Amino acid sequence: MDKETLLKPRLPEDDVEIPGVGTVRVRGLSRGEVLRGQGLKGVDLEAYMLAAGMVDPPMTRDEVKQWQAASPAGELEPVTDVISRLSGLDEGAAKSDVPEVRDDSGD
């Protein structure tokens, strides 16, 4: 096997429609990004995931926090759900060795 195949980024992407706003493009998080997110909870975890996973438009954590403050309560959830699905964190996440990524506490 060619080592370059293992080292080449191959993160899946998808579009998410935000009703009344438009369509954004997101990608799955790499294992390294998931591990770096350990210990984050609630709005900080959501801001981290979105900043890492947003492809178009790209966003910083501070910009995501502005979006969190400006949006209706449920607007970001479909976006984070797709990022979680693309990252392999939606199904079986309770069995993951990175349980913090599925924190649904909303803190």
Side-chain angles (χ1 to χ4, degrees), residues 45-67:
L45 175 60
E46 182 178 73
Y48 172 80
M49 285 182 67
L50 286 165
M54 292 289 291
V55 174
D56 187 27
M59 298 183 82
T60 66
R61 275 202 218 181
D62 286 339
E63 290 169 332
V64 171
K65 288 180 180 187
Q66 290 175 32
W67 183 16

Side-chain angles (χ1 to χ4, degrees), residues 8-35:
K8 181 180 178 185
R10 52 195 181 281
L11 303 171
E13 295 185 6
D14 203 354
D15 293 326
V16 183
E17 176 69 26
I18 301 173
V21 178
T23 302
V24 297
R25 183 121 182 119
V26 298
R27 66 167 175 82
L29 304 181
S30 69
R31 177 142 180 95
E33 288 169 330
V34 170
L35 293 173

